[in-house]
Amino acid sequence: MAKRLIYAAAGAFCGYFLGIRIIGAFLQIFSVSLPVFAAWAFFAAGGAAGFLFYKKAHEHLKLHAFGDKPWAAVLALLMWGLCFRGRYALLDFQTDMSISGLSALAASLGAGILLASFILHFIHVFSYTFIRKYHITRYDIITAISILVVMNILVVLFCKNNRMICYWDNAGFWISAGNLADMLKESGPVEVLRTAYSSVFTEDYNYIIALPAAFLAYLFGESRMVYILGVTNLYLYPIYLFVYAVSRRICRRPAAAAVLTIAAFPFMFFVSTQGYIDAGAVLAACLALWLWYSKRDDISPERAIIIGLVLAAAMILRRWLVFFAIAYIIAYAIDSFVYRRRISPLVWLLFALAFGLLFLFQPYVTVRLMANYSGMYSAYDLGLKTDLFTFIHYMGVIPMLAALIPLAIMLISKKRRRTGVFMLLLLGVCFLVFVKIQSHGEQHLMLYMPAFFCLVCEGFAYVINNKKTVALCALAAAVSAAPVVCAVTADNSKVGTDIITLEPCISCMPQKRGDVDQILALTGWLDENVGDKGKKAAVIASSLTFNREVLFNAEASLNLSRSSSSDRDEYLPWLPQVDGRDDIPYEILNADYVIVADPIQTHLSPENQTVVTIPAETFLNGEDIANAYVKRDEVFRVGWDGSISVYIYEKTRDITEAEEQEFLNKFAHLGILNK
């Protein structure tokens, strides 16, 4: 009877926590306020279930989680303790509702019980099913160390010789990691973890994926080299080990197949050295694919649970991994039905995915994932043609064929058709769903790398296993890896154009901006005349060559020291950049200086960035609010060829109401004139 009561209490707490989540979801999605009585109903139902089915629950936990081990009980108690609401709580489970007293205790205990059970389950299944059954040989160790050493040598050489300035996505998480490192020094790890968890619900780019880089910055400094080494060693290197694991499973010479595959796709090295920490989320996608690929004939419920949790983790780390998760689930479901596999693993996979997202991150799902991104990012829908040529630009025709030809052969072969269908669905569904929302950026192409790596490994393994000539394989890899040793292009000017190249049109070699001296001269002028004097400057430019973030990150990207202590983030306010996603640039009205580039700098078509083009034209043409400013004599020449002129306008009087209204009326077409 005592055991029944213990499991009844655990079930009641879990049921109440589920009830709270459902109430919060209804409130956020449908604006329907359910009475707290609904949560207490789940409390009672959970208690009854725990009382009636305690034997099955106990047997499952004993077999797959707790195992009657003292460390398991200690870990479970620790996890429950961390879920108490209080001053030292590491996690603050968001409900967007006023919950206090016994309700808060019940919800926290329910979350703790569920979280502890799943963590123990994960540790047990992963260690016993995957690690102990995967026999590691001396050959494996030598190969892994060799890849690690070569990768780090290339990364260090790249960072030491690179003279580029970081901005937007390839600088965002670097800055976040530095901010978290500073917080770690001042407030300790508890506050850092709390901030990272809360950012999931408040930021489009949450900080969880940047936590490892933050701890590295705390230990070794906030330089760009430390950050890039962190990204490559923590995220890119495990992805390379995934490639080796796939090769090891299907090839007699796994090291050769893995190296050829890695060389065939320098894209991953390129985006990682550019600072895209998204590789961490892609690593989770690789693990999910490996869990199916390595044992697709007999997926156990335990393995399916881990797949679901891994997919949930990928979606939390980077929001656009939801496209991979959707494609994965559809491919898994079709595979189960067509090949008459057990349906129970699919049910467990979906349950684990729902648990990982709804129980721990419910507001993230209802507020972030369910937002209307198709409308918000309509300006980024550049058409199917641009998507296709973006693939060609970053991947190259030869690497794409190295993946698609094995896919076609697998679809023809009866023996390999099942794997081919899964990979086809994984790639096809992901692509079709993504282009419904927006066009691909360079980081989004990482969605397809897990499947591409598997397919290219399959192709190289076929050649090697059948003792065919490897000359063709080596040639394909060499042509693909050419950008590692020769700069095909210095910038992204060919993206979206009709240029078809056999090799990737990217450069993995260190590069140097030709306008570095002019950029540094401009930032020095701004520090001295704007920041140090407590004034503000508005930067009206948003291209891949010149924008506000280029000025903000200039010295740090080049590993140089600033002579001024002024806060550039304070005196260079962020301005809207994209129609539909952003508001009207009201900050310009309060700026003491306005920085304008000629030609006008946009990274999308001008009609999708009128929040940039209208203010720029206003100042270049001397209209309405520009009459309150005078154009200074200083001119800075920026751009790869120095063809962009940057002018500075200084405010000499207050803007009149008539001038302000005339300026704001220019944005009437956006329908957001709500100052």
Side-chain angles (χ1 to χ4, degrees), residues 158 162 164-167 169-171 174 224 227-228 231-232 267-277 442 492 507-511:
F158 176 88
N162 197 45
M164 294 296 291
I165 299 176
C166 308
Y167 58 90
D169 287 352
N170 65 1
W174 175 34
R224 183 70 177 179
Y227 174 75
I228 296 299
V231 171
T232 52
F267 168 74
M268 282 303 299
F269 183 84
F270 168 77
V271 290
S272 297
T273 53
Q274 294 300 308
Y276 286 98
I277 206 168
E442 56 188 335
N492 291 330
S507 174
C508 295
M509 291 292 289
Q511 300 173 31

PDB file of all heavy atoms in Angstrom, residues 158 162 164-167 169-171 174 224 227-228 231-232 267-277 442 492 507-511:
ATOM      1  N   PHE A 158      43.520  29.676 -39.792  1.00  0.00           N
ATOM      2  CA  PHE A 158      42.466  30.539 -40.323  1.00  0.00           C
ATOM      3  C   PHE A 158      42.264  31.760 -39.425  1.00  0.00           C
ATOM      4  O   PHE A 158      42.231  32.903 -39.908  1.00  0.00           O
ATOM      5  CB  PHE A 158      41.163  29.754 -40.446  1.00  0.00           C
ATOM      6  CG  PHE A 158      39.996  30.574 -40.903  1.00  0.00           C
ATOM      7  CD1 PHE A 158      39.733  30.737 -42.248  1.00  0.00           C
ATOM      8  CD2 PHE A 158      39.162  31.202 -39.983  1.00  0.00           C
ATOM      9  CE1 PHE A 158      38.661  31.511 -42.674  1.00  0.00           C
ATOM     10  CE2 PHE A 158      38.089  31.969 -40.397  1.00  0.00           C
ATOM     11  CZ  PHE A 158      37.839  32.129 -41.748  1.00  0.00           C
ATOM     12  N   ASN A 162      42.942  35.619 -40.615  1.00  0.00           N
ATOM     13  CA  ASN A 162      41.699  36.169 -41.146  1.00  0.00           C
ATOM     14  C   ASN A 162      41.553  37.639 -40.743  1.00  0.00           C
ATOM     15  O   ASN A 162      41.800  38.014 -39.594  1.00  0.00           O
ATOM     16  CB  ASN A 162      40.505  35.375 -40.620  1.00  0.00           C
ATOM     17  CG  ASN A 162      39.255  35.618 -41.430  1.00  0.00           C
ATOM     18  OD1 ASN A 162      39.288  35.621 -42.648  1.00  0.00           O
ATOM     19  ND2 ASN A 162      38.138  35.813 -40.746  1.00  0.00           N
ATOM     20  N   MET A 164      38.611  39.593 -41.509  1.00  0.00           N
ATOM     21  CA  MET A 164      37.242  39.928 -41.844  1.00  0.00           C
ATOM     22  C   MET A 164      36.537  40.514 -40.624  1.00  0.00           C
ATOM     23  O   MET A 164      36.958  40.312 -39.484  1.00  0.00           O
ATOM     24  CB  MET A 164      36.493  38.690 -42.337  1.00  0.00           C
ATOM     25  CG  MET A 164      37.017  38.148 -43.648  1.00  0.00           C
ATOM     26  SD  MET A 164      36.807  39.305 -45.012  1.00  0.00           S
ATOM     27  CE  MET A 164      35.021  39.280 -45.181  1.00  0.00           C
ATOM     28  N   ILE A 165      35.446  41.242 -40.873  1.00  0.00           N
ATOM     29  CA  ILE A 165      34.656  41.829 -39.799  1.00  0.00           C
ATOM     30  C   ILE A 165      33.337  41.075 -39.700  1.00  0.00           C
ATOM     31  O   ILE A 165      32.647  40.880 -40.701  1.00  0.00           O
ATOM     32  CB  ILE A 165      34.403  43.326 -40.054  1.00  0.00           C
ATOM     33  CG1 ILE A 165      35.737  44.071 -40.115  1.00  0.00           C
ATOM     34  CG2 ILE A 165      33.517  43.911 -38.960  1.00  0.00           C
ATOM     35  CD1 ILE A 165      35.594  45.544 -40.462  1.00  0.00           C
ATOM     36  N   CYS A 166      33.013  40.645 -38.506  1.00  0.00           N
ATOM     37  CA  CYS A 166      31.816  39.814 -38.281  1.00  0.00           C
ATOM     38  C   CYS A 166      30.585  40.697 -38.085  1.00  0.00           C
ATOM     39  O   CYS A 166      30.672  41.795 -37.520  1.00  0.00           O
ATOM     40  CB  CYS A 166      32.012  38.926 -37.061  1.00  0.00           C
ATOM     41  SG  CYS A 166      33.534  37.974 -37.101  1.00  0.00           S
ATOM     42  N   TYR A 167      29.438  40.188 -38.498  1.00  0.00           N
ATOM     43  CA  TYR A 167      28.195  40.921 -38.308  1.00  0.00           C
ATOM     44  C   TYR A 167      27.025  39.950 -38.401  1.00  0.00           C
ATOM     45  O   TYR A 167      27.161  38.824 -38.858  1.00  0.00           O
ATOM     46  CB  TYR A 167      28.045  42.031 -39.355  1.00  0.00           C
ATOM     47  CG  TYR A 167      28.079  41.551 -40.793  1.00  0.00           C
ATOM     48  CD1 TYR A 167      26.917  41.176 -41.452  1.00  0.00           C
ATOM     49  CD2 TYR A 167      29.280  41.467 -41.486  1.00  0.00           C
ATOM     50  CE1 TYR A 167      26.939  40.734 -42.763  1.00  0.00           C
ATOM     51  CE2 TYR A 167      29.321  41.036 -42.799  1.00  0.00           C
ATOM     52  CZ  TYR A 167      28.146  40.667 -43.434  1.00  0.00           C
ATOM     53  OH  TYR A 167      28.180  40.216 -44.730  1.00  0.00           O
ATOM     54  N   ASP A 169      24.390  37.209 -38.181  1.00  0.00           N
ATOM     55  CA  ASP A 169      24.327  35.854 -37.638  1.00  0.00           C
ATOM     56  C   ASP A 169      25.684  35.295 -37.238  1.00  0.00           C
ATOM     57  O   ASP A 169      25.778  34.511 -36.291  1.00  0.00           O
ATOM     58  CB  ASP A 169      23.675  34.905 -38.658  1.00  0.00           C
ATOM     59  CG  ASP A 169      22.180  35.139 -38.778  1.00  0.00           C
ATOM     60  OD1 ASP A 169      21.646  35.922 -37.971  1.00  0.00           O
ATOM     61  OD2 ASP A 169      21.547  34.559 -39.670  1.00  0.00           O
ATOM     62  N   ASN A 170      26.745  35.643 -37.952  1.00  0.00           N
ATOM     63  CA  ASN A 170      28.038  35.059 -37.586  1.00  0.00           C
ATOM     64  C   ASN A 170      28.717  35.824 -36.454  1.00  0.00           C
ATOM     65  O   ASN A 170      29.833  35.483 -36.062  1.00  0.00           O
ATOM     66  CB  ASN A 170      28.970  34.963 -38.804  1.00  0.00           C
ATOM     67  CG  ASN A 170      29.372  36.311 -39.360  1.00  0.00           C
ATOM     68  OD1 ASN A 170      28.985  37.351 -38.835  1.00  0.00           O
ATOM     69  ND2 ASN A 170      30.135  36.294 -40.429  1.00  0.00           N
ATOM     70  N   ALA A 171      28.048  36.849 -35.920  1.00  0.00           N
ATOM     71  CA  ALA A 171      28.575  37.571 -34.757  1.00  0.00           C
ATOM     72  C   ALA A 171      27.636  37.506 -33.564  1.00  0.00           C
ATOM     73  O   ALA A 171      28.074  37.701 -32.428  1.00  0.00           O
ATOM     74  CB  ALA A 171      28.833  39.036 -35.119  1.00  0.00           C
ATOM     75  N   TRP A 174      28.521  34.983 -30.847  1.00  0.00           N
ATOM     76  CA  TRP A 174      29.818  35.362 -30.278  1.00  0.00           C
ATOM     77  C   TRP A 174      29.621  36.459 -29.226  1.00  0.00           C
ATOM     78  O   TRP A 174      30.167  36.383 -28.117  1.00  0.00           O
ATOM     79  CB  TRP A 174      30.735  35.839 -31.408  1.00  0.00           C
ATOM     80  CG  TRP A 174      32.067  36.367 -30.969  1.00  0.00           C
ATOM     81  CD1 TRP A 174      32.824  35.943 -29.913  1.00  0.00           C
ATOM     82  CD2 TRP A 174      32.792  37.447 -31.563  1.00  0.00           C
ATOM     83  NE1 TRP A 174      33.981  36.670 -29.829  1.00  0.00           N
ATOM     84  CE2 TRP A 174      33.988  37.603 -30.829  1.00  0.00           C
ATOM     85  CE3 TRP A 174      32.550  38.271 -32.657  1.00  0.00           C
ATOM     86  CZ2 TRP A 174      34.936  38.570 -31.152  1.00  0.00           C
ATOM     87  CZ3 TRP A 174      33.503  39.223 -32.989  1.00  0.00           C
ATOM     88  CH2 TRP A 174      34.672  39.369 -32.245  1.00  0.00           C
ATOM     89  N   ARG A 224      37.890  36.135 -30.738  1.00  0.00           N
ATOM     90  CA  ARG A 224      37.226  35.425 -31.829  1.00  0.00           C
ATOM     91  C   ARG A 224      37.819  34.030 -31.998  1.00  0.00           C
ATOM     92  O   ARG A 224      37.094  33.075 -32.297  1.00  0.00           O
ATOM     93  CB  ARG A 224      37.388  36.233 -33.119  1.00  0.00           C
ATOM     94  CG  ARG A 224      36.682  35.648 -34.343  1.00  0.00           C
ATOM     95  CD  ARG A 224      35.191  35.761 -34.246  1.00  0.00           C
ATOM     96  NE  ARG A 224      34.536  35.268 -35.447  1.00  0.00           N
ATOM     97  CZ  ARG A 224      33.222  35.239 -35.627  1.00  0.00           C
ATOM     98  NH1 ARG A 224      32.416  35.673 -34.686  1.00  0.00           N
ATOM     99  NH2 ARG A 224      32.699  34.777 -36.742  1.00  0.00           N
ATOM    100  N   TYR A 227      36.322  31.603 -29.549  1.00  0.00           N
ATOM    101  CA  TYR A 227      34.947  31.281 -29.943  1.00  0.00           C
ATOM    102  C   TYR A 227      34.923  30.284 -31.096  1.00  0.00           C
ATOM    103  O   TYR A 227      34.190  29.285 -31.054  1.00  0.00           O
ATOM    104  CB  TYR A 227      34.225  32.572 -30.335  1.00  0.00           C
ATOM    105  CG  TYR A 227      32.842  32.358 -30.907  1.00  0.00           C
ATOM    106  CD1 TYR A 227      31.775  32.018 -30.091  1.00  0.00           C
ATOM    107  CD2 TYR A 227      32.611  32.485 -32.273  1.00  0.00           C
ATOM    108  CE1 TYR A 227      30.506  31.821 -30.615  1.00  0.00           C
ATOM    109  CE2 TYR A 227      31.350  32.296 -32.808  1.00  0.00           C
ATOM    110  CZ  TYR A 227      30.307  31.961 -31.974  1.00  0.00           C
ATOM    111  OH  TYR A 227      29.059  31.748 -32.494  1.00  0.00           O
ATOM    112  N   ILE A 228      35.715  30.519 -32.153  1.00  0.00           N
ATOM    113  CA  ILE A 228      35.714  29.629 -33.312  1.00  0.00           C
ATOM    114  C   ILE A 228      36.247  28.251 -32.933  1.00  0.00           C
ATOM    115  O   ILE A 228      35.714  27.219 -33.376  1.00  0.00           O
ATOM    116  CB  ILE A 228      36.559  30.236 -34.457  1.00  0.00           C
ATOM    117  CG1 ILE A 228      35.937  31.543 -34.941  1.00  0.00           C
ATOM    118  CG2 ILE A 228      36.655  29.253 -35.623  1.00  0.00           C
ATOM    119  CD1 ILE A 228      34.548  31.418 -35.490  1.00  0.00           C
ATOM    120  N   VAL A 231      33.386  26.478 -31.252  1.00  0.00           N
ATOM    121  CA  VAL A 231      32.366  26.003 -32.201  1.00  0.00           C
ATOM    122  C   VAL A 231      32.847  24.755 -32.935  1.00  0.00           C
ATOM    123  O   VAL A 231      32.116  23.766 -33.066  1.00  0.00           O
ATOM    124  CB  VAL A 231      32.014  27.115 -33.209  1.00  0.00           C
ATOM    125  CG1 VAL A 231      31.123  26.574 -34.325  1.00  0.00           C
ATOM    126  CG2 VAL A 231      31.320  28.272 -32.506  1.00  0.00           C
ATOM    127  N   THR A 232      34.088  24.784 -33.422  1.00  0.00           N
ATOM    128  CA  THR A 232      34.591  23.672 -34.235  1.00  0.00           C
ATOM    129  C   THR A 232      34.837  22.418 -33.397  1.00  0.00           C
ATOM    130  O   THR A 232      34.554  21.312 -33.853  1.00  0.00           O
ATOM    131  CB  THR A 232      35.870  24.073 -34.974  1.00  0.00           C
ATOM    132  OG1 THR A 232      36.809  24.626 -34.046  1.00  0.00           O
ATOM    133  CG2 THR A 232      35.565  25.099 -36.043  1.00  0.00           C
ATOM    134  N   PHE A 267      31.761  22.938 -47.065  1.00  0.00           N
ATOM    135  CA  PHE A 267      30.752  23.889 -46.596  1.00  0.00           C
ATOM    136  C   PHE A 267      30.657  23.911 -45.075  1.00  0.00           C
ATOM    137  O   PHE A 267      30.552  24.984 -44.468  1.00  0.00           O
ATOM    138  CB  PHE A 267      29.390  23.530 -47.211  1.00  0.00           C
ATOM    139  CG  PHE A 267      28.234  24.257 -46.591  1.00  0.00           C
ATOM    140  CD1 PHE A 267      28.016  25.600 -46.868  1.00  0.00           C
ATOM    141  CD2 PHE A 267      27.374  23.613 -45.721  1.00  0.00           C
ATOM    142  CE1 PHE A 267      26.960  26.279 -46.293  1.00  0.00           C
ATOM    143  CE2 PHE A 267      26.311  24.274 -45.141  1.00  0.00           C
ATOM    144  CZ  PHE A 267      26.100  25.620 -45.428  1.00  0.00           C
ATOM    145  N   MET A 268      30.696  22.730 -44.426  1.00  0.00           N
ATOM    146  CA  MET A 268      30.557  22.690 -42.975  1.00  0.00           C
ATOM    147  C   MET A 268      31.731  23.377 -42.290  1.00  0.00           C
ATOM    148  O   MET A 268      31.556  24.075 -41.283  1.00  0.00           O
ATOM    149  CB  MET A 268      30.416  21.248 -42.490  1.00  0.00           C
ATOM    150  CG  MET A 268      29.040  20.647 -42.697  1.00  0.00           C
ATOM    151  SD  MET A 268      27.703  21.582 -41.905  1.00  0.00           S
ATOM    152  CE  MET A 268      28.176  21.512 -40.189  1.00  0.00           C
ATOM    153  N   PHE A 269      32.928  23.176 -42.813  1.00  0.00           N
ATOM    154  CA  PHE A 269      34.092  23.862 -42.255  1.00  0.00           C
ATOM    155  C   PHE A 269      33.954  25.366 -42.473  1.00  0.00           C
ATOM    156  O   PHE A 269      34.268  26.171 -41.585  1.00  0.00           O
ATOM    157  CB  PHE A 269      35.373  23.340 -42.916  1.00  0.00           C
ATOM    158  CG  PHE A 269      36.640  23.941 -42.364  1.00  0.00           C
ATOM    159  CD1 PHE A 269      37.222  23.416 -41.222  1.00  0.00           C
ATOM    160  CD2 PHE A 269      37.234  25.030 -42.982  1.00  0.00           C
ATOM    161  CE1 PHE A 269      38.387  23.976 -40.709  1.00  0.00           C
ATOM    162  CE2 PHE A 269      38.391  25.593 -42.480  1.00  0.00           C
ATOM    163  CZ  PHE A 269      38.973  25.053 -41.336  1.00  0.00           C
ATOM    164  N   PHE A 270      33.470  25.743 -43.642  1.00  0.00           N
ATOM    165  CA  PHE A 270      33.304  27.159 -43.972  1.00  0.00           C
ATOM    166  C   PHE A 270      32.354  27.848 -42.997  1.00  0.00           C
ATOM    167  O   PHE A 270      32.690  28.887 -42.408  1.00  0.00           O
ATOM    168  CB  PHE A 270      32.794  27.289 -45.406  1.00  0.00           C
ATOM    169  CG  PHE A 270      32.326  28.662 -45.768  1.00  0.00           C
ATOM    170  CD1 PHE A 270      33.228  29.674 -46.040  1.00  0.00           C
ATOM    171  CD2 PHE A 270      30.965  28.958 -45.842  1.00  0.00           C
ATOM    172  CE1 PHE A 270      32.791  30.951 -46.377  1.00  0.00           C
ATOM    173  CE2 PHE A 270      30.529  30.222 -46.176  1.00  0.00           C
ATOM    174  CZ  PHE A 270      31.444  31.224 -46.441  1.00  0.00           C
ATOM    175  N   VAL A 271      31.149  27.303 -42.807  1.00  0.00           N
ATOM    176  CA  VAL A 271      30.166  27.981 -41.957  1.00  0.00           C
ATOM    177  C   VAL A 271      30.593  27.972 -40.493  1.00  0.00           C
ATOM    178  O   VAL A 271      30.277  28.894 -39.742  1.00  0.00           O
ATOM    179  CB  VAL A 271      28.759  27.357 -42.108  1.00  0.00           C
ATOM    180  CG1 VAL A 271      28.175  27.660 -43.460  1.00  0.00           C
ATOM    181  CG2 VAL A 271      28.775  25.854 -41.851  1.00  0.00           C
ATOM    182  N   SER A 272      31.322  26.937 -40.075  1.00  0.00           N
ATOM    183  CA  SER A 272      31.783  26.880 -38.684  1.00  0.00           C
ATOM    184  C   SER A 272      32.863  27.921 -38.423  1.00  0.00           C
ATOM    185  O   SER A 272      32.856  28.586 -37.381  1.00  0.00           O
ATOM    186  CB  SER A 272      32.304  25.479 -38.357  1.00  0.00           C
ATOM    187  OG  SER A 272      31.272  24.519 -38.460  1.00  0.00           O
ATOM    188  N   THR A 273      33.794  28.086 -39.355  1.00  0.00           N
ATOM    189  CA  THR A 273      34.826  29.100 -39.168  1.00  0.00           C
ATOM    190  C   THR A 273      34.270  30.506 -39.349  1.00  0.00           C
ATOM    191  O   THR A 273      34.899  31.479 -38.909  1.00  0.00           O
ATOM    192  CB  THR A 273      35.993  28.887 -40.154  1.00  0.00           C
ATOM    193  OG1 THR A 273      35.487  28.806 -41.492  1.00  0.00           O
ATOM    194  CG2 THR A 273      36.748  27.613 -39.821  1.00  0.00           C
ATOM    195  N   GLN A 274      33.118  30.623 -39.975  1.00  0.00           N
ATOM    196  CA  GLN A 274      32.456  31.918 -40.064  1.00  0.00           C
ATOM    197  C   GLN A 274      31.730  32.266 -38.765  1.00  0.00           C
ATOM    198  O   GLN A 274      31.221  33.377 -38.614  1.00  0.00           O
ATOM    199  CB  GLN A 274      31.445  31.930 -41.217  1.00  0.00           C
ATOM    200  CG  GLN A 274      32.061  31.806 -42.597  1.00  0.00           C
ATOM    201  CD  GLN A 274      33.027  32.927 -42.917  1.00  0.00           C
ATOM    202  OE1 GLN A 274      32.699  34.095 -42.791  1.00  0.00           O
ATOM    203  NE2 GLN A 274      34.230  32.562 -43.313  1.00  0.00           N
ATOM    204  N   GLY A 275      31.659  31.293 -37.829  1.00  0.00           N
ATOM    205  CA  GLY A 275      31.075  31.563 -36.526  1.00  0.00           C
ATOM    206  C   GLY A 275      29.640  31.135 -36.361  1.00  0.00           C
ATOM    207  O   GLY A 275      28.999  31.497 -35.366  1.00  0.00           O
ATOM    208  N   TYR A 276      29.115  30.370 -37.296  1.00  0.00           N
ATOM    209  CA  TYR A 276      27.722  29.919 -37.183  1.00  0.00           C
ATOM    210  C   TYR A 276      27.641  28.777 -36.173  1.00  0.00           C
ATOM    211  O   TYR A 276      28.012  27.648 -36.467  1.00  0.00           O
ATOM    212  CB  TYR A 276      27.188  29.471 -38.543  1.00  0.00           C
ATOM    213  CG  TYR A 276      26.888  30.612 -39.472  1.00  0.00           C
ATOM    214  CD1 TYR A 276      27.800  30.995 -40.451  1.00  0.00           C
ATOM    215  CD2 TYR A 276      25.707  31.326 -39.358  1.00  0.00           C
ATOM    216  CE1 TYR A 276      27.537  32.061 -41.300  1.00  0.00           C
ATOM    217  CE2 TYR A 276      25.425  32.391 -40.203  1.00  0.00           C
ATOM    218  CZ  TYR A 276      26.345  32.752 -41.172  1.00  0.00           C
ATOM    219  OH  TYR A 276      26.070  33.811 -42.006  1.00  0.00           O
ATOM    220  N   ILE A 277      27.128  29.103 -35.007  1.00  0.00           N
ATOM    221  CA  ILE A 277      27.041  28.125 -33.934  1.00  0.00           C
ATOM    222  C   ILE A 277      25.883  27.156 -34.162  1.00  0.00           C
ATOM    223  O   ILE A 277      25.677  26.213 -33.392  1.00  0.00           O
ATOM    224  CB  ILE A 277      26.879  28.855 -32.583  1.00  0.00           C
ATOM    225  CG1 ILE A 277      27.411  28.001 -31.435  1.00  0.00           C
ATOM    226  CG2 ILE A 277      25.444  29.282 -32.354  1.00  0.00           C
ATOM    227  CD1 ILE A 277      27.549  28.760 -30.140  1.00  0.00           C
ATOM    228  N   GLU A 442      22.702  30.875 -45.895  1.00  0.00           N
ATOM    229  CA  GLU A 442      23.793  29.914 -45.890  1.00  0.00           C
ATOM    230  C   GLU A 442      23.701  28.957 -44.707  1.00  0.00           C
ATOM    231  O   GLU A 442      23.967  27.754 -44.838  1.00  0.00           O
ATOM    232  CB  GLU A 442      25.143  30.632 -45.902  1.00  0.00           C
ATOM    233  CG  GLU A 442      25.347  31.624 -44.778  1.00  0.00           C
ATOM    234  CD  GLU A 442      26.614  32.439 -44.976  1.00  0.00           C
ATOM    235  OE1 GLU A 442      27.525  31.949 -45.662  1.00  0.00           O
ATOM    236  OE2 GLU A 442      26.691  33.557 -44.446  1.00  0.00           O
ATOM    237  N   ASN A 492      29.957  37.328 -51.070  1.00  0.00           N
ATOM    238  CA  ASN A 492      28.770  36.548 -51.419  1.00  0.00           C
ATOM    239  C   ASN A 492      28.052  37.119 -52.634  1.00  0.00           C
ATOM    240  O   ASN A 492      26.847  36.945 -52.802  1.00  0.00           O
ATOM    241  CB  ASN A 492      27.808  36.510 -50.227  1.00  0.00           C
ATOM    242  CG  ASN A 492      28.355  35.683 -49.091  1.00  0.00           C
ATOM    243  OD1 ASN A 492      29.103  34.739 -49.316  1.00  0.00           O
ATOM    244  ND2 ASN A 492      28.005  36.033 -47.869  1.00  0.00           N
ATOM    245  N   SER A 507      35.140  30.393 -50.059  1.00  0.00           N
ATOM    246  CA  SER A 507      36.559  30.290 -49.737  1.00  0.00           C
ATOM    247  C   SER A 507      36.720  29.974 -48.266  1.00  0.00           C
ATOM    248  O   SER A 507      36.194  30.676 -47.403  1.00  0.00           O
ATOM    249  CB  SER A 507      37.292  31.584 -50.066  1.00  0.00           C
ATOM    250  OG  SER A 507      38.629  31.508 -49.612  1.00  0.00           O
ATOM    251  N   CYS A 508      37.459  28.904 -47.975  1.00  0.00           N
ATOM    252  CA  CYS A 508      37.776  28.553 -46.598  1.00  0.00           C
ATOM    253  C   CYS A 508      39.131  29.106 -46.176  1.00  0.00           C
ATOM    254  O   CYS A 508      39.598  28.833 -45.077  1.00  0.00           O
ATOM    255  CB  CYS A 508      37.765  27.037 -46.423  1.00  0.00           C
ATOM    256  SG  CYS A 508      36.147  26.291 -46.673  1.00  0.00           S
ATOM    257  N   MET A 509      39.754  29.838 -47.082  1.00  0.00           N
ATOM    258  CA  MET A 509      41.031  30.463 -46.761  1.00  0.00           C
ATOM    259  C   MET A 509      40.801  31.753 -45.981  1.00  0.00           C
ATOM    260  O   MET A 509      39.757  32.385 -46.106  1.00  0.00           O
ATOM    261  CB  MET A 509      41.795  30.773 -48.049  1.00  0.00           C
ATOM    262  CG  MET A 509      42.290  29.551 -48.792  1.00  0.00           C
ATOM    263  SD  MET A 509      43.583  28.684 -47.886  1.00  0.00           S
ATOM    264  CE  MET A 509      44.945  29.836 -48.066  1.00  0.00           C
ATOM    265  N   PRO A 510      41.773  32.145 -45.153  1.00  0.00           N
ATOM    266  CA  PRO A 510      41.666  33.449 -44.477  1.00  0.00           C
ATOM    267  C   PRO A 510      41.532  34.566 -45.507  1.00  0.00           C
ATOM    268  O   PRO A 510      42.142  34.515 -46.579  1.00  0.00           O
ATOM    269  CB  PRO A 510      42.991  33.552 -43.708  1.00  0.00           C
ATOM    270  CG  PRO A 510      43.447  32.142 -43.544  1.00  0.00           C
ATOM    271  CD  PRO A 510      42.985  31.408 -44.768  1.00  0.00           C
ATOM    272  N   GLN A 511      40.725  35.565 -45.196  1.00  0.00           N
ATOM    273  CA  GLN A 511      40.475  36.659 -46.119  1.00  0.00           C
ATOM    274  C   GLN A 511      40.731  37.990 -45.434  1.00  0.00           C
ATOM    275  O   GLN A 511      40.832  38.066 -44.207  1.00  0.00           O
ATOM    276  CB  GLN A 511      39.029  36.602 -46.620  1.00  0.00           C
ATOM    277  CG  GLN A 511      38.690  35.312 -47.353  1.00  0.00           C
ATOM    278  CD  GLN A 511      37.221  35.233 -47.685  1.00  0.00           C
ATOM    279  OE1 GLN A 511      36.569  36.239 -47.910  1.00  0.00           O
ATOM    280  NE2 GLN A 511      36.682  34.037 -47.721  1.00  0.00           N
TER     281      GLN A 511
END
